[in-house]
Amino acid sequence: MKLAPKQKKELAEIVLSNSIDWNHFDEVQVENAGKEYIRLIHKPTGLFFELFHDVLFERAHQNMGGWHVYFTPGSDYSAYSSIELIKGWDNVKTIFKSWIALLLDEIQANEFLNEIKELAATQTDKSDFSETKLLSENEVSRLTAELHSLKQNIDSLQHENQRVVQSLEKKIDYLINRVDKKYPKIDWVNLAMGTIVSMLSSEAGDFIKSHPEIFDQIKIFFHLVSNGKFLK
């Protein structure tokens, strides 16, 4: 099947309204369950949205829809979702809008992860942090309070995935236990960034991204540390 020019234009408008570059998408035809789907692939992430319109079925069953969609990531941050017998193009667009919101989360998560990997792999600017200057009492207090707040919020999710929550808490405890060990600032910043990278690169990364409030708190903590706002 092929999308009509008007349909493609409407999907492009949805993409652009979310500040995503339409040129980052490829359109290909793929076979899925014996049907020829149109697949829109977001090239930077490899994530995609497939759709198929069974016109003959729709004509034979006028009270039912003939659109089928398959997309990744799926609803509720599952690996993928599929919806069948959708009635009307407007309902397909509504589902596409929901998928674009999920895609946007993944784009932002990938950008953030790439940013902290790059910073963690780069030696901290020595003009900002002396190799011998230590954390002040005020810095230790503020960093410790921020980490305890993060741990408390993560702990409230024990009922969802106890194993993942406990693994995250161990990493936070690792940092808490080293804030007051009189590490030089440059060492502590590198330690903090490396720990955050490991949190987001592990299995727990998907769990964190499925809880935007936790993910945002980690991002704020990271930026505060990496930009030196705690460590003036």
Side-chain angles (χ1 to χ4, degrees):
M1 64 162 284
K2 288 187 178 180
L3 290 174
K6 182 176 182 295
Q7 291 173 326
K8 187 179 295 188
K9 177 177 179 292
E10 289 174 342
L11 295 185
E13 289 172 347
I14 293 170
V15 168
L16 294 171
S17 69
N18 284 273
S19 301
I20 301 175
D21 191 340
W22 177 246
N23 291 322
H24 286 173
F25 286 83
D26 268 342
E27 178 184 335
V28 298
Q29 294 187 350
V30 297
E31 187 174 313
N32 188 339
K35 302 180 179 67
E36 191 177 78
Y37 279 69
I38 293 294
R39 175 181 288 184
L40 295 174
I41 306 171
H42 182 250
K43 292 181 286 186
T45 63
L47 301 171
F48 59 84
F49 186 93
E50 293 180 0
L51 60 165
F52 168 75
H53 190 198
D54 193 335
V55 178
L56 294 177
F57 178 89
E58 198 168 70
R59 287 174 181 170
H61 304 83
Q62 296 184 3
N63 62 329
M64 302 176 70
W67 285 97
H68 302 248
V69 299
Y70 177 90
F71 50 93
T72 181
S75 304
D76 300 321
Y77 293 92
S78 57
Y80 65 88
S81 289
S82 60
I83 306 174
E84 299 181 345
L85 304 181
I86 304 163
K87 191 170 185 178
W89 172 246
D90 285 343
N91 287 325
V92 174
K93 288 193 297 180
T94 297
I95 297 170
F96 185 75
K97 288 178 183 178
S98 298
W99 176 72
I100 286 295
L102 294 170
L103 175 63
L104 190 59
D105 284 346
E106 291 296 322
I107 292 171
Q108 292 170 344
N110 284 337
E111 289 174 349
F112 176 65
L113 184 56
N114 289 336
E115 178 184 351
I116 61 178
K117 283 181 176 178
E118 180 180 346
L119 283 171
T122 304
Q123 186 175 13
T124 307
D125 188 347
K126 292 186 178 181
S127 65
D128 293 333
F129 303 109
S130 165
E131 290 185 354
T132 58
K133 191 170 184 178
L134 304 178
L135 297 170
S136 69
E137 289 186 9
N138 182 55
E139 290 166 345
V140 169
S141 176
R142 296 177 67 189
L143 287 166
T144 302
E146 187 70 20
L147 287 166
H148 276 296
S149 172
L150 176 60
K151 181 180 176 181
Q152 182 177 7
N153 290 335
I154 289 176
D155 187 66
S156 68
L157 303 173
Q158 286 270 6
H159 63 285
E160 293 189 24
N161 193 324
Q162 186 178 34
R163 181 174 60 82
V164 168
V165 167
Q166 289 178 348
S167 72
L168 289 171
E169 289 181 327
K170 285 181 180 179
K171 293 181 184 297
I172 296 172
D173 284 338
Y174 176 79
L175 291 179
I176 291 173
N177 292 333
R178 283 156 179 77
V179 174
D180 61 352
K181 297 298 182 184
K182 301 306 179 185
Y183 281 104
K185 289 184 179 183
I186 187 172
D187 290 343
W188 199 91
V189 169
N190 287 331
L191 184 71
M193 290 195 293
T195 302
I196 294 170
V197 169
S198 71
M199 290 169 66
L200 294 174
S201 301
S202 65
E203 176 190 357
D206 289 336
F207 181 79
I208 291 171
K209 287 184 287 185
S210 69
H211 294 84
E213 69 286 356
I214 299 295
F215 189 42
D216 286 344
Q217 190 173 5
I218 290 175
K219 288 194 288 186
I220 291 170
F221 174 75
F222 168 77
H223 285 300
L224 286 171
V225 172
S226 65
N227 293 334
K229 292 180 181 177
F230 269 133
L231 311 176
K232 293 180 180 178

